[in-house]
Amino acid sequence: MGEAMPSPFPLPEPMRRALELARAAGEAGEVPIGAVVTLDGRTIGEGENRNRRDNDPTAHAEMVAIRAAAAHLGDFRLAGCDLWVTLEPCAMCAGAISHARIARLYYAAADPKGGAIEQGPRFFTQPQCLHRPEVYGGLAQAEASTLLRDFFLARR
Amino acid sequence: MGEAMPSPFPLPEPMRRALELARAAGEAGEVPIGAVVTLDGRTIGEGENRNRRDNDPTAHAEMVAIRAAAAHLGDFRLAGCDLWVTLEPCAMCAGAISHARIARLYYAAADPKGGAIEQGPRFFTQPQCLHRPEVYGGLAQAEASTLLRDFFLARR
Protein backbone atom coordinates (compact mmCIF):
# COMPACT_ATOMS: atom_id res chain seq x y z
CA MET A 1 0.00 0.00 0.00
CA GLY A 2 1.36 3.45 -0.94
CA GLU A 3 1.21 6.73 0.92
CA ALA A 4 -2.34 8.13 0.92
CA MET A 5 -2.71 11.35 -1.06
CA PRO A 6 -2.58 14.42 1.16
CA SER A 7 -5.43 16.91 0.80
CA PRO A 8 -4.72 19.60 -1.82
CA PHE A 9 -6.43 22.21 0.39
CA PRO A 10 -4.91 23.86 3.46
CA LEU A 11 -6.18 22.21 6.62
CA PRO A 12 -8.01 24.21 9.28
CA GLU A 13 -5.53 24.77 12.11
CA PRO A 14 -7.45 22.71 14.74
CA MET A 15 -7.41 19.61 12.49
CA ARG A 16 -3.71 20.13 11.73
CA ARG A 17 -3.11 20.24 15.49
CA ALA A 18 -5.30 17.14 16.06
CA LEU A 19 -3.11 15.23 13.56
CA GLU A 20 -0.02 16.40 15.44
CA LEU A 21 -1.53 15.13 18.70
CA ALA A 22 -2.38 11.83 16.99
CA ARG A 23 1.27 11.44 15.91
CA ALA A 24 2.43 12.16 19.46
CA ALA A 25 0.06 9.50 20.82
CA GLY A 26 1.41 6.96 18.32
CA GLU A 27 4.98 7.74 19.31
CA ALA A 28 3.99 7.09 22.93
CA GLY A 29 2.66 3.63 21.99
CA GLU A 30 -1.01 4.61 22.01
CA VAL A 31 -3.48 4.29 19.13
CA PRO A 32 -2.69 7.50 17.15
CA ILE A 33 -5.78 9.66 17.59
CA GLY A 34 -5.86 13.34 18.52
CA ALA A 35 -8.61 15.86 19.28
CA VAL A 36 -9.02 19.60 19.83
CA VAL A 37 -11.93 21.64 21.25
CA THR A 38 -12.30 25.21 20.00
CA LEU A 39 -14.58 28.08 21.00
CA ASP A 40 -14.87 30.99 18.57
CA GLY A 41 -11.77 29.70 16.77
CA ARG A 42 -9.65 29.57 19.94
CA THR A 43 -8.36 26.23 21.33
CA ILE A 44 -9.68 25.54 24.84
CA GLY A 45 -8.90 21.83 25.15
CA GLU A 46 -6.63 19.22 23.56
CA GLY A 47 -6.38 15.46 23.88
CA GLU A 48 -4.38 12.47 22.75
CA ASN A 49 -5.43 8.88 23.23
CA ARG A 50 -4.05 8.00 26.71
CA ASN A 51 -5.63 4.62 27.57
CA ARG A 52 -2.37 2.85 28.31
CA ARG A 53 -0.42 5.73 29.83
CA ASP A 54 -3.22 6.66 32.22
CA ASN A 55 -4.63 3.14 32.85
CA ASP A 56 -7.96 4.62 31.83
CA PRO A 57 -10.37 2.86 29.43
CA THR A 58 -12.24 6.15 28.97
CA ALA A 59 -9.18 8.20 27.93
CA HIS A 60 -9.90 8.51 24.21
CA ALA A 61 -8.60 11.71 22.59
CA GLU A 62 -12.09 13.23 22.40
CA MET A 63 -12.81 12.53 26.08
CA VAL A 64 -9.51 14.03 27.19
CA ALA A 65 -10.11 17.15 25.05
CA ILE A 66 -13.71 17.56 26.24
CA ARG A 67 -12.75 17.18 29.90
CA ALA A 68 -9.91 19.70 29.48
CA ALA A 69 -12.22 22.21 27.77
CA ALA A 70 -14.92 21.84 30.43
CA ALA A 71 -12.35 22.30 33.21
CA HIS A 72 -11.03 25.38 31.36
CA LEU A 73 -14.52 26.92 31.08
CA GLY A 74 -15.60 25.80 34.56
CA ASP A 75 -18.80 24.44 33.04
CA PHE A 76 -19.98 20.88 32.36
CA ARG A 77 -21.49 22.04 29.08
CA LEU A 78 -19.49 23.22 26.08
CA ALA A 79 -22.26 25.18 24.33
CA GLY A 80 -21.05 26.75 21.10
CA CYS A 81 -17.81 24.74 21.07
CA ASP A 82 -16.47 22.68 18.17
CA LEU A 83 -14.66 19.33 18.39
CA TRP A 84 -12.01 18.32 15.86
CA VAL A 85 -10.85 14.68 15.88
CA THR A 86 -8.80 12.50 13.56
CA LEU A 87 -11.12 9.47 13.67
CA GLU A 88 -14.88 8.99 13.65
CA PRO A 89 -15.97 8.93 17.33
CA CYS A 90 -17.07 5.68 18.99
CA ALA A 91 -20.32 5.33 20.97
CA MET A 92 -18.63 6.47 24.19
CA CYS A 93 -17.25 9.63 22.61
CA ALA A 94 -20.43 10.32 20.62
CA GLY A 95 -22.35 10.17 23.89
CA ALA A 96 -19.90 12.56 25.56
CA ILE A 97 -20.10 14.97 22.59
CA SER A 98 -23.87 15.03 22.99
CA HIS A 99 -23.79 15.41 26.80
CA ALA A 100 -21.29 18.29 26.39
CA ARG A 101 -23.58 20.06 23.88
CA ILE A 102 -20.78 20.35 21.29
CA ALA A 103 -22.09 22.52 18.42
CA ARG A 104 -20.03 21.15 15.51
CA LEU A 105 -18.11 17.90 15.12
CA TYR A 106 -15.35 17.67 12.51
CA TYR A 107 -13.71 14.29 12.03
CA ALA A 108 -11.16 12.96 9.58
CA ALA A 109 -11.25 9.20 8.86
CA ALA A 110 -14.39 7.07 9.10
CA ASP A 111 -14.13 4.04 11.40
CA PRO A 112 -16.19 1.09 10.13
CA LYS A 113 -14.93 -1.11 13.01
CA GLY A 114 -15.77 1.13 15.94
CA GLY A 115 -17.45 4.32 14.72
CA ALA A 116 -20.88 5.32 16.01
CA ILE A 117 -21.67 8.34 13.82
CA GLU A 118 -22.09 6.98 10.30
CA GLN A 119 -21.96 3.27 11.32
CA GLY A 120 -23.92 0.87 13.52
CA PRO A 121 -25.37 2.84 16.42
CA ARG A 122 -25.55 6.11 14.34
CA PHE A 123 -25.99 7.65 17.74
CA PHE A 124 -26.96 11.16 16.67
CA THR A 125 -29.98 9.77 14.80
CA GLN A 126 -31.35 7.97 17.89
CA PRO A 127 -34.28 9.35 19.91
CA GLN A 128 -32.13 8.76 23.05
CA CYS A 129 -29.65 11.36 21.75
CA LEU A 130 -30.76 14.58 23.43
CA HIS A 131 -28.38 16.94 21.59
CA ARG A 132 -27.07 16.57 18.03
CA PRO A 133 -24.08 18.53 16.77
CA GLU A 134 -23.64 19.50 13.14
CA VAL A 135 -21.31 16.84 11.67
CA TYR A 136 -18.59 17.24 9.05
CA GLY A 137 -16.64 14.10 8.10
CA GLY A 138 -13.77 13.41 5.73
CA LEU A 139 -11.51 16.40 6.46
CA ALA A 140 -7.87 15.19 6.26
CA GLN A 141 -9.01 11.60 6.13
CA ALA A 142 -6.01 10.50 4.04
CA GLU A 143 -3.49 11.75 6.61
CA ALA A 144 -5.44 10.36 9.58
CA SER A 145 -5.96 6.95 7.93
CA THR A 146 -2.29 6.67 7.01
CA LEU A 147 -1.27 7.33 10.62
CA LEU A 148 -3.59 4.62 11.91
CA ARG A 149 -2.73 2.10 9.18
CA ASP A 150 1.02 2.52 9.69
CA PHE A 151 0.58 2.16 13.47
CA PHE A 152 -1.32 -1.12 13.21
CA LEU A 153 0.97 -2.49 10.47
CA ALA A 154 4.02 -1.77 12.67
CA ARG A 155 2.47 -3.70 15.58
CA ARG A 156 1.84 -6.90 13.64
CA MET B 1 -47.55 9.30 43.27
CA GLY B 2 -46.89 6.92 46.16
CA GLU B 3 -43.68 5.23 47.26
CA ALA B 4 -42.65 2.46 44.82
CA MET B 5 -42.77 -1.01 46.33
CA PRO B 6 -39.35 -2.11 47.59
CA SER B 7 -38.05 -5.47 46.40
CA PRO B 8 -39.07 -8.36 48.68
CA PHE B 9 -35.64 -9.98 48.18
CA PRO B 10 -32.40 -8.90 49.86
CA LEU B 11 -30.31 -6.76 47.50
CA PRO B 12 -26.80 -7.79 46.56
CA GLU B 13 -24.45 -5.58 48.57
CA PRO B 14 -22.95 -3.74 45.53
CA MET B 15 -26.40 -2.62 44.35
CA ARG B 16 -27.32 -1.55 47.89
CA ARG B 17 -24.13 0.54 47.91
CA ALA B 18 -24.86 1.95 44.43
CA LEU B 19 -28.26 3.15 45.70
CA GLU B 20 -26.52 4.78 48.68
CA LEU B 21 -24.13 6.57 46.28
CA ALA B 22 -27.13 7.65 44.16
CA ARG B 23 -28.75 9.19 47.24
CA ALA B 24 -25.53 11.03 48.10
CA ALA B 25 -25.35 12.42 44.55
CA GLY B 26 -28.93 13.66 44.79
CA GLU B 27 -28.22 15.36 48.11
CA ALA B 28 -25.30 17.14 46.42
CA GLY B 29 -27.63 18.48 43.70
CA GLU B 30 -26.58 15.96 41.04
CA VAL B 31 -28.85 13.55 39.18
CA PRO B 32 -29.08 10.67 41.72
CA ILE B 33 -27.19 7.81 40.08
CA GLY B 34 -24.56 5.60 41.70
CA ALA B 35 -22.26 2.82 40.49
CA VAL B 36 -19.88 0.22 41.90
CA VAL B 37 -17.25 -1.99 40.21
CA THR B 38 -16.49 -5.33 41.85
CA LEU B 39 -13.89 -8.02 41.17
CA ASP B 40 -14.49 -11.44 42.71
CA GLY B 41 -17.10 -9.87 44.99
CA ARG B 42 -14.76 -7.16 46.28
CA THR B 43 -15.42 -3.44 45.54
CA ILE B 44 -12.56 -1.87 43.57
CA GLY B 45 -14.23 1.33 42.36
CA GLU B 46 -17.21 3.51 43.24
CA GLY B 47 -18.83 6.48 41.54
CA GLU B 48 -21.57 9.06 41.94
CA ASN B 49 -22.79 11.34 39.20
CA ARG B 50 -20.45 14.36 39.46
CA ASN B 51 -21.17 16.42 36.28
CA ARG B 52 -21.88 19.67 38.09
CA ARG B 53 -19.43 19.33 40.98
CA ASP B 54 -16.51 18.47 38.68
CA ASN B 55 -17.51 20.60 35.66
CA ASP B 56 -17.19 17.37 33.66
CA PRO B 57 -19.77 16.26 31.08
CA THR B 58 -18.26 12.75 31.15
CA ALA B 59 -18.57 12.28 34.94
CA HIS B 60 -21.49 9.87 35.04
CA ALA B 61 -21.48 7.44 37.97
CA GLU B 62 -20.38 4.52 35.75
CA MET B 63 -17.47 6.49 34.26
CA VAL B 64 -16.26 7.60 37.69
CA ALA B 65 -16.46 4.02 39.03
CA ILE B 66 -14.72 2.53 35.95
CA ARG B 67 -11.90 5.09 36.08
CA ALA B 68 -11.44 4.49 39.82
CA ALA B 69 -11.33 0.71 39.34
CA ALA B 70 -8.84 0.95 36.44
CA ALA B 71 -6.61 3.26 38.49
CA HIS B 72 -6.85 0.81 41.40
CA LEU B 73 -5.83 -2.16 39.23
CA GLY B 74 -3.26 -0.17 37.24
CA ASP B 75 -4.78 -1.54 34.03
CA PHE B 76 -6.95 0.08 31.36
CA ARG B 77 -8.97 -3.12 31.10
CA LEU B 78 -11.24 -4.46 33.83
CA ALA B 79 -11.38 -8.08 32.67
CA GLY B 80 -13.54 -10.22 34.96
CA CYS B 81 -15.02 -7.18 36.74
CA ASP B 82 -18.72 -6.48 37.29
CA LEU B 83 -20.44 -3.08 37.15
CA TRP B 84 -23.51 -2.32 39.29
CA VAL B 85 -25.43 0.86 38.47
CA THR B 86 -28.79 2.30 39.49
CA LEU B 87 -29.88 3.36 35.97
CA GLU B 88 -29.58 1.82 32.51
CA PRO B 89 -26.32 3.15 31.02
CA CYS B 90 -26.35 5.76 28.23
CA ALA B 91 -24.35 5.37 24.99
CA MET B 92 -21.27 6.99 26.53
CA CYS B 93 -21.25 4.64 29.52
CA ALA B 94 -22.16 1.58 27.42
CA GLY B 95 -19.15 2.35 25.23
CA ALA B 96 -16.90 2.70 28.27
CA ILE B 97 -18.22 -0.60 29.72
CA SER B 98 -17.32 -2.30 26.46
CA HIS B 99 -13.87 -0.65 26.18
CA ALA B 100 -13.16 -1.67 29.79
CA ARG B 101 -14.09 -5.32 29.07
CA ILE B 102 -16.57 -5.41 31.98
CA ALA B 103 -17.76 -9.03 32.35
CA ARG B 104 -21.22 -8.49 33.85
CA LEU B 105 -23.46 -5.39 33.95
CA TYR B 106 -26.21 -5.16 36.58
CA TYR B 107 -28.52 -2.18 36.37
CA ALA B 108 -31.65 -1.17 38.26
CA ALA B 109 -34.11 1.10 36.42
CA ALA B 110 -34.52 1.18 32.64
CA ASP B 111 -34.09 4.62 31.02
CA PRO B 112 -36.34 5.08 27.99
CA LYS B 113 -35.15 8.70 27.56
CA GLY B 114 -31.40 8.12 27.53
CA GLY B 115 -30.62 4.41 27.84
CA ALA B 116 -28.53 2.64 25.22
CA ILE B 117 -28.80 -1.00 26.35
CA GLU B 118 -32.44 -1.97 25.82
CA GLN B 119 -33.41 1.24 23.94
CA GLY B 120 -32.43 3.08 20.78
CA PRO B 121 -28.76 2.38 20.08
CA ARG B 122 -28.90 -1.06 21.84
CA PHE B 123 -25.17 -0.69 21.76
CA PHE B 124 -24.20 -4.22 22.81
CA THR B 125 -26.06 -5.65 19.80
CA GLN B 126 -24.11 -3.51 17.28
CA PRO B 127 -21.28 -4.93 15.16
CA GLN B 128 -19.19 -1.89 16.27
CA CYS B 129 -19.38 -3.17 19.86
CA LEU B 130 -16.18 -5.20 20.27
CA HIS B 131 -16.92 -6.60 23.74
CA ARG B 132 -20.34 -7.45 25.19
CA PRO B 133 -20.87 -8.00 28.92
CA GLU B 134 -23.58 -10.27 30.30
CA VAL B 135 -26.48 -7.94 31.17
CA TYR B 136 -28.92 -8.17 34.08
CA GLY B 137 -31.55 -5.43 34.34
CA GLY B 138 -34.35 -4.69 36.79
CA LEU B 139 -32.59 -5.35 40.12
CA ALA B 140 -33.88 -2.78 42.66
CA GLN B 141 -35.60 -0.83 39.91
CA ALA B 142 -38.37 0.39 42.23
CA GLU B 143 -35.91 2.01 44.65
CA ALA B 144 -33.78 3.52 41.86
CA SER B 145 -36.80 4.88 39.96
CA THR B 146 -38.25 6.45 43.12
CA LEU B 147 -34.98 8.26 43.79
CA LEU B 148 -34.88 9.69 40.29
CA ARG B 149 -38.58 10.57 40.18
CA ASP B 150 -38.47 12.37 43.51
CA PHE B 151 -35.36 14.28 42.42
CA PHE B 152 -36.92 15.56 39.21
CA LEU B 153 -40.27 16.32 40.90
CA ALA B 154 -38.47 18.41 43.55
CA ARG B 155 -36.70 20.44 40.86
CA ARG B 156 -39.89 21.48 39.06
Side-chain angles (χ1 to χ4, degrees), chain A residues 65-146:
Chain A
I66 285 172
R67 299 181 79 218
H72 175 82
L73 293 183
D75 193 332
F76 75 110
R77 290 192 173 149
L78 300 175
C81 292
D82 298 344
L83 178 72
W84 307 74
V85 57
T86 58
L87 188 67
E88 179 186 352
C90 72
M92 174 178 73
C93 295
I97 287 164
S98 181
H99 291 316
R101 308 289 194 267
I102 292 284
R104 281 165 293 272
L105 164 65
Y106 299 88
Y107 65 87
D111 182 9
K113 282 191 192 165
I117 310 303
E118 51 179 299
Q119 344 271 339
R122 296 177 205 277
F123 178 62
F124 297 141
T125 69
Q126 298 287 349
Q128 287 76 16
C129 173
L130 305 179
H131 167 84
R132 293 162 183 78
E134 293 172 32
V135 178
Y136 304 92
L139 201 68
Q141 63 180 322
E143 294 89 330
S145 301
T146 301

Side-chain angles (χ1 to χ4, degrees), chain A residues 140-152:
Chain A
Q141 63 180 322
E143 294 89 330
S145 301
T146 301
L147 266 177
L148 283 158
R149 195 194 60 205
D150 292 352
F151 178 80
F152 286 111

